[in-house]
Amino acid sequence: MILYVLIGVLVLAVAGCACVVWAARGGPRWVRAVATVTLLGGEVARAGQRGGGRRAGGGDDGGGSD
C-alpha cells in the first residue's frame, strides 16, 4: 500500500516539474497555475528544511577550536 502512495507522490512531482517547464515556454493558464503551486511547494519544503537545520545545528559553524 505504501508503495502505491510513494509512486503517486513521484508521479505528481514529475508532472509538476513538467508543468513548470511547459509554463516557462508559455503554456496555458492551468499549466501556469500548477507550476505556481509546484514552485510554492518547493519553497515551503526548503524553508522547513532550513529552519530545522538551524535549530539542529545550534548555531555551530562546524569550525573546530584546537
Side-chain angles (χ1 to χ4, degrees):
M1 178 64 184
I2 190 73
L3 180 63
Y4 294 126
V5 172
L6 291 175
I7 290 172
V9 169
L10 179 64
V11 167
L12 287 174
V14 169
C17 292
C19 284
V20 169
V21 172
W22 191 7
R25 295 176 179 259
R29 182 176 290 163
W30 68 268
V31 171
R32 285 179 259 152
V34 172
T36 301
V37 171
T38 301
L39 292 173
L40 286 175
E43 289 294 324
V44 168
R46 270 181 288 202
Q49 193 174 29
R50 274 185 263 151
R54 271 189 248 135
R55 282 193 299 268
D60 186 14
D61 62 351
S65 56
D66 290 343

